[in-house]
Amino acid sequence: MLSIHNVDKIYHSRGKPDVHAVRALDMEVKKGEIVALLGSSGCGKTSTLRMIAGFESVTSGSIALAQRAIHDLPPAKRKVAMAFEGYSLYPPLTVRENIAFALKAQQLSRAEIARRVDEIARLVEIEDILDHHPRALSGGQQQRVSLARALVRDADLYLLDEPMGQLEPQLRAVLRGRIKGLLAERGMTAIFVTHDQTEASALADRIAVMEDGVLQQFAGERELKNRPANLFVASFIGEPPMNLLDTAVTPEESGFRLSAGSDLAFHISLQTLDVMAQQTLAQAQQIKVGIRPQRIAIGTGESRLRVVSNQWLGDQSHVAGECAGHLVVAVTQGKVAARPGDVVPCTLDARHLHIFGADGVCVRHAEAR
Ligand SMILES: Nc1ncnc2c1ncn2[C@@H]1O[C@H](COP(=O)(O)OP(=O)(O)O)[C@@H](O)[C@H]1O
Ligand SMILES: [Mg+2]
């Protein structure tokens, strides 16, 4: 449906160094799919959307929508609707006129335009401000007008740049559900930008994780959590973040021994390693491993955790402590009776380890649950 091939974006500004905002981006979005672009500020999310919409040129590469190359077309010819990060509403027009603007060009009847504007206004809860002008609105209201203006259109693709960033959490959760319903019901294809993992997981079928202009991994939420492609995704996705440990590698008869300090060692059997992972371990003296906080068991086991803090969050405990020379966090479902300074037994199981090569690529994932 949408096919982005080898796209680069370099901004040249006079008197300033070039900014390489997007690098060799390859991405395919299916018809009817909802995709989240997730990443920290400045990683190239907005640049990517603006290139798809046509408000920014591609420096190189190609973009096709419904089998039609669009990267050289003007925005109006692309059949792409976009809600901008900065809203960009027309100040002289009322909210209703702003939303109806693109529909008027489509030569729909007045009644049909009014019906569609009312419907979308109800969905994003702005029926009461349809006669106001943008300058009289709060940031959150302007953002919803911008969202409505994009969603009301007939387009092949909808691009939403941080569409709910200005809204309170409660309203955001409600709109998220409604927008997801609308997109699904109409089979709309959409890409939205967010830096909020929860929002990405709640709304998207697949999540594209970007960092420093580079697409790190493009997959469903479970896949990102269970099979992170590299160290960046492993530590970026998941709350609290994955624990990372440096271990020393010793070959064994049937695999490898990975040890951190004197009282923490893992035996990794050859059977759990593919050829690349075996080679990586065979060549390494030190290797980074990761384990999710939810996979560390507290209260039993051979290893020791010196507790630094223990927080009960109402439904789970977060226990942070020092283990084998590393600060780690464990999450348990039940309450843990441990105070700072206590030493408690804990288990870090080799089956739960992700193993990362020197280049950061994950060469072995934890066993799926
Ligand atoms: N018009 C521009 N001119 C120069 N640099 C820009 C321009 N727009 C964005 N950038 C730079 O490109 C990088 C990516 O920006 P952007 O795509 O807005 O990231 P995000 O939306 O992920 O925060 C940033 O370093 C930003 O400063
Ligand atoms: Mg942005």
Side-chain angles (χ1 to χ4, degrees):
M1 165 71 178
L2 174 72
S3 175
I4 301 175
H5 182 58
N6 206 16
V7 163
D8 274 75
K9 179 68 192 180
I10 302 173
Y11 293 105
H12 307 280
S13 329
R14 220 184 320 159
K16 286 192 195 152
D18 288 352
V19 179
H20 204 153
V22 177
R23 293 168 194 263
L25 179 64
D26 273 308
M27 222 173 127
E28 303 270 336
V29 177
K30 296 175 213 148
K31 189 166 166 44
E33 199 173 22
I34 308 175
V35 166
L37 273 187
L38 177 68
S40 46
S41 176
C43 74
K45 306 181 296 294
T46 295
S47 299
T48 300
L49 285 200
R50 291 179 63 87
M51 286 190 286
I52 300 170
F55 299 106
E56 229 20 281
S57 61
V58 299
T59 304
S60 61
S62 62
I63 303 176
L65 181 58
Q67 269 109 44
R68 190 170 66 118
I70 58 166
H71 53 269
D72 286 331
L73 298 178
K77 293 256 158 73
R78 297 192 182 198
K79 293 201 193 162
V80 173
M82 179 157 173
F84 297 87
E85 204 172 5
Y87 326 132
S88 56
L89 304 174
Y90 307 115
L93 303 187
T94 64
V95 167
R96 179 180 286 284
E97 290 163 342
N98 263 283
I99 299 173
F101 193 81
L103 298 181
K104 290 204 171 120
Q106 266 179 257
Q107 299 176 340
L108 298 172
S109 73
R110 263 187 165 180
E112 174 64 7
I113 291 175
R115 190 190 66 73
R116 283 167 70 161
V117 172
D118 288 336
E119 179 189 49
I120 201 73
R122 247 192 325 275
L123 190 123
V124 300
E125 305 215 347
I126 50 170
E127 315 101 293
D128 54 334
I129 52 168
L130 283 172
D131 298 326
H132 295 207
H133 283 85
R135 66 172 176 281
L137 307 180
S138 71
Q141 288 171 325
Q142 291 187 47
Q143 188 164 47
R144 279 176 284 158
V145 176
S146 167
L147 184 57
R149 190 178 55 173
L151 291 177
V152 82
R153 290 179 52 190
D154 293 310
D156 286 341
L157 177 66
Y158 297 82
L159 303 175
L160 313 173
D161 198 350
E162 309 256 5
M164 290 176 280
Q166 294 297 321
L167 311 183
E168 309 155 32
Q170 218 167 10
L171 182 59
R172 196 148 76 194
V174 171
L175 292 199
R176 210 191 268 153
R178 287 191 194 156
I179 290 167
K180 186 170 174 134
L182 178 83
L183 297 176
E185 185 189 305
R186 311 222 166 138
M188 294 152 85
T189 311
I191 305 178
F192 72 100
V193 160
T194 181
H195 53 257
D196 178 351
Q197 279 184 48
T198 314
E199 187 158 296
S201 306
L203 251 173
D205 301 313
R206 283 195 295 163
I207 301 171
V209 180
M210 282 184 83
E211 168 68 1
D212 205 13
V214 178
L215 179 62
Q216 303 288 325
Q217 190 169 3
F218 185 23
E221 186 219 358
R222 282 183 73 89
E223 173 97 358
L224 294 177
K225 281 215 173 107
N226 294 339
R227 304 180 62 79
N230 56 36
L231 263 177
F232 178 81
V233 176
S235 44
F236 189 71
I237 301 285
E239 258 304 310
M242 185 183 284
N243 296 295
L244 297 173
L245 312 169
D246 293 304
T247 62
V249 183
T250 321
E252 287 182 325
E253 205 163 289
S254 58
F256 297 90
R257 181 175 188 270
L258 308 183
S259 53
S262 52
D263 68 341
L264 181 59
F266 306 98
H267 298 276
I268 308 289
S269 95
L270 276 183
Q271 287 150 21
T272 68
L273 303 171
D274 65 13
V275 176
M276 182 169 117
Q278 289 180 20
Q279 278 177 358
T280 303
L281 281 163
Q283 287 163 7
Q285 283 165 341
Q286 290 277 324
I287 206 144
K288 234 184 225 334
V289 299
I291 182 166
R292 297 259 176 230
Q294 295 80 359
R295 301 269 72 81
I296 299 182
I298 298 278
T300 60
E302 308 286 284
S303 303
R304 296 284 169 268
L305 182 85
R306 181 176 295 278
V307 177
V308 172
S309 77
N310 178 6
Q311 302 174 75
W312 172 245
L313 302 184
D315 56 350
Q316 51 181 227
S317 290
H318 286 199
V319 182
E322 188 256 292
C323 177
H326 292 81
L327 183 67
V328 303
V329 175
V331 171
T332 65
Q333 294 306 309
K335 267 192 183 174
V336 176
R339 293 156 171 269
D342 288 355
V343 176
V344 295
C346 66
T347 306
L348 287 73
D349 192 318
R351 288 176 303 155
H352 296 141
L353 285 193
H354 299 267
I355 302 176
F356 302 94
D359 53 1
V361 171
C362 191
V363 295
R364 194 201 81 161
H365 294 107
E367 250 178 43
R369 273 187 290 163

